[in-house]
Amino acid sequence: MKKVLSMLLVLMMVTALFAGCGKDEDNTADSGTNTGAEDTATDSGSTDTQTDSESSDGDIVLRVAWWGNQVRDERTEKALALYTEMNPNVTFELEPIGWAGYWDKLATQTAGGSLPDIIQQDYAFIGQYIDKGVLADLTPYVESGALNLDDVAPANLEGGRSGEGLYGVPLGMNALAYVYNKTLMDQMGYDAVDPDWTWNDFQTLVTNAYTEHGIRSDAPLWDDPKFLLENLLRQNGKSVYNEAGNALGFDTTDELVTMFTMLADNTEAGAFPDPQEIAQKTTMEESLFVNDETLGGFIWSNFFVAYADLMDSELELTVMPNDENGASGLYLKPSQFFSVTESSEHKEEAAKVIDFITNSIEANEILLAERGVPIAATVRDGIKDSVSAEVAATFDYIALAENYATPISAPEPAGAAEVTKALKSIYEEVAYGVTTPEDGAERFIQEANSILSVN
């Protein structure tokens, strides 16, 4: 919840600071003399001197900004130092800062025309920066070869695209997954899950594990059932929200009734834990799955390492179930992007730096997937021996997910947090048996559309 509130606050702040600094009104930092009052923030490694201009001897200074932590800051600084070692005419001014301060600073720099050359972006906000003309289209640099994305599956790049343009290159990827206890599966004599499995196969596994061996399964996405609804809708070519963001993107109850019925029936049968029992497990360490009391459940793949660290049992990851026609609702979600700003005087060199971060095994042996699973297949293979077995397993999973992923949906509209809260409340009511799947579905559509109607 704190993360949601933080995201909302940042969204409001970015929107407010963008007001009055639209594409046609931007005063970009072309003069090369700006010192930027915002540079008084507590970032390390940066200076207040504007040095974007190329010197007479061909030296280039690129400013790079990101949010992160001490580990990310140190690794990024080392990776960029390696770039300088390989390209002595290019040096960097580094502007790392914390998450909240980052967006405040970036919006101020946008208004003041003093943005760095390369900025880290989040999927929730990149659309606003694209719409305001802040970010450069990287397509020309892909076409020239300065930014080589030949080793990147197209699904990895969808989140950074707008129209025909490419405005952000993901620094790492994440995806929903089914994680299961392979040790329990082996003990039950069951085969590993086939990634081509369907929701009917999932139901068969849940039922057989419970009726034949007394092994329960986690209720799907109990903490945020919006992602279950989204997956089912995407399999049918639908979306949670409409394009305008002022209503749901669907008007029938089919997918809602399906997910609510799956929850109600399996909870009543005992194959899913009782909601009161779930409520008593407030930490990952206490969870039924970590204590070998459930067979598996759905998670974001970046949580796999934490689960594996807590458990002695062998774990496996596979994709979300498909529908009966083989349609997948899976998508790859960028952890964050690197973008080049339109005001940069050195866009091609900045694109080369992003190419280096994307494709250099040496650079990624320094970065070690701290920002998520690398998007270039050769890099994933190249640094596998440098990361833990659990992290390497997420590499394999993203490679598998690439075969099933479809383009990511648009960022969520204002009010999405309230919609998510409404769905979670009804999901729990259905599990407790106080609301029927049909009534819950009808009520959610009414409540969600009411919330979104003010947009």
Side-chain angles (χ1 to χ4, degrees):
M1 179 59 73
K2 288 182 179 178
K3 178 73 178 296
V4 171
L5 291 174
S6 175
M7 292 282 284
L8 284 172
L9 180 61
V10 169
L11 180 60
M12 292 171 62
M13 179 174 59
V14 169
T15 301
L17 286 169
F18 266 153
C21 66
K23 184 174 184 177
D24 298 330
E25 300 167 347
D26 281 347
N27 298 314
T28 54
D30 291 337
S31 67
T33 58
N34 176 66
T35 58
E38 65 282 0
D39 286 347
T40 56
T42 57
D43 50 330
S44 61
S46 67
T47 71
D48 290 337
T49 304
Q50 171 67 18
T51 52
D52 269 354
S53 296
E54 185 174 348
S55 66
S56 58
D57 58 0
D59 289 345
I60 294 174
V61 178
L62 294 176
R63 293 168 56 210
V64 185
W66 68 89
W67 73 86
N69 51 57
Q70 185 174 354
V71 171
R72 178 177 299 172
D73 296 351
E74 291 174 355
R75 292 181 184 180
T76 305
E77 183 174 356
K78 288 180 181 177
L80 294 178
L82 177 60
Y83 187 89
T84 296
E85 185 178 328
M86 300 168 70
N87 304 273
N89 65 315
V90 181
T91 56
F92 298 93
E93 291 184 0
L94 311 182
E95 302 185 17
I97 194 172
W99 163 264
Y102 179 81
W103 296 103
D104 188 3
K105 181 178 179 180
L106 208 61
T108 303
Q109 289 177 322
T110 302
S114 59
L115 280 167
D117 301 271
I118 300 173
I119 58 175
Q120 191 168 287
Q121 270 289 343
D122 184 85
Y123 187 64
F125 307 121
I126 191 171
Q128 294 182 52
Y129 283 80
I130 294 172
D131 290 344
K132 292 295 181 182
V134 174
L135 306 182
D137 180 6
L138 299 174
T139 304
Y141 308 104
V142 176
E143 293 173 348
S144 72
L147 174 55
N148 186 345
L149 298 176
D150 292 347
D151 198 30
V152 179
N156 286 299
L157 301 173
E158 290 297 332
R161 292 195 182 281
S162 179
E164 298 299 318
L166 177 66
Y167 297 90
V169 177
L171 299 171
M173 300 304 292
N174 197 14
L176 274 177
Y178 179 67
V179 59
Y180 63 96
N181 188 322
K182 188 173 183 300
T183 302
L184 286 178
M185 290 281 276
D186 292 343
Q187 291 172 356
M188 293 188 294
Y190 293 173
D191 294 333
V193 175
D194 185 333
D196 289 328
W197 69 330
T198 67
W199 283 106
N200 283 343
D201 296 328
F202 169 73
Q203 183 58 56
T204 298
L205 176 62
V206 167
T207 299
N208 289 348
Y210 182 65
T211 59
E212 296 174 0
H213 303 278
I215 301 296
R216 298 175 294 175
S217 293
D218 286 336
L221 292 158
W222 178 260
D223 290 332
D224 194 346
K226 189 277 302 294
F227 292 117
L228 175 59
L229 173 62
E230 180 184 46
N231 185 272
L232 295 172
L233 288 168
R234 287 170 56 87
Q235 290 182 347
N236 293 326
K238 304 176 186 177
S239 60
V240 177
Y241 305 103
N242 68 5
E243 190 171 345
N246 58 8
L248 293 173
F250 58 98
D251 55 13
T252 64
T253 61
D254 298 350
E255 290 81 6
L256 284 162
V257 170
T258 295
M259 63 182 279
F260 288 154
T261 300
M262 177 169 59
L263 175 67
D265 288 353
N266 284 302
T267 302
E268 183 179 7
F272 290 165
D274 184 274
Q276 288 184 321
E277 184 179 7
I278 299 173
Q280 293 171 359
K281 313 297 182 183
T282 58
T283 67
M284 182 180 286
E285 290 82 355
E286 295 173 336
S287 69
L288 297 170
F289 181 68
V290 166
N291 289 283
D292 296 334
E293 295 183 53
T294 53
L295 178 60
F298 300 106
I299 63 169
W300 285 99
S301 56
N302 59 311
F303 282 92
F304 178 77
V305 174
Y307 279 113
D309 285 346
L310 289 171
M311 300 175 68
D312 292 328
S313 296
E314 183 180 358
L315 304 183
E316 290 280 356
L317 281 172
T318 194
V319 295
M320 299 281 287
N322 307 292
D323 78 359
E324 296 311 303
N325 297 317
S328 170
L330 198 65
Y331 61 89
L332 301 177
K333 185 178 185 302
S335 58
Q336 60 256 158
F337 305 89
F338 260 167
S339 297
V340 177
T341 55
E342 187 61 45
S343 59
S344 172
E345 296 180 353
H346 304 293
K347 295 185 183 67
E348 180 170 2
E349 194 64 44
K352 290 179 180 177
V353 173
I354 296 177
D355 175 88
F356 175 71
I357 296 294
T358 302
N359 294 308
S360 167
I361 292 175
E362 292 83 357
N364 282 279
E365 284 176 336
I366 296 171
L367 296 168
L368 289 177
E370 191 277 332
R371 286 181 169 92
V373 177
I375 61 173
T378 301
V379 168
R380 289 197 294 263
D381 292 340
I383 67 171
K384 252 187 177 180
D385 292 339
S386 302
V387 299
S388 68
E390 292 77 19
V391 172
T394 65
F395 288 13
D396 291 338
Y397 175 67
I398 291 298
L400 173 66
E402 287 175 350
N403 299 321
Y404 293 85
T406 54
I408 190 172
S409 304
E412 294 184 332
E418 291 180 75
V419 172
T420 297
K421 183 178 179 182
L423 182 61
K424 167 69 171 167
S425 177
I426 296 172
Y427 198 64
E428 292 182 2
E429 290 179 23
V430 170
Y432 277 104
V434 299
T435 299
T436 67
E438 292 77 14
D439 289 347
E442 294 283 358
R443 204 176 95 215
F444 172 72
I445 289 177
Q446 292 174 6
E447 291 183 11
N449 280 328
S450 176
I451 293 168
L452 297 167
S453 65
V454 300
N455 290 342

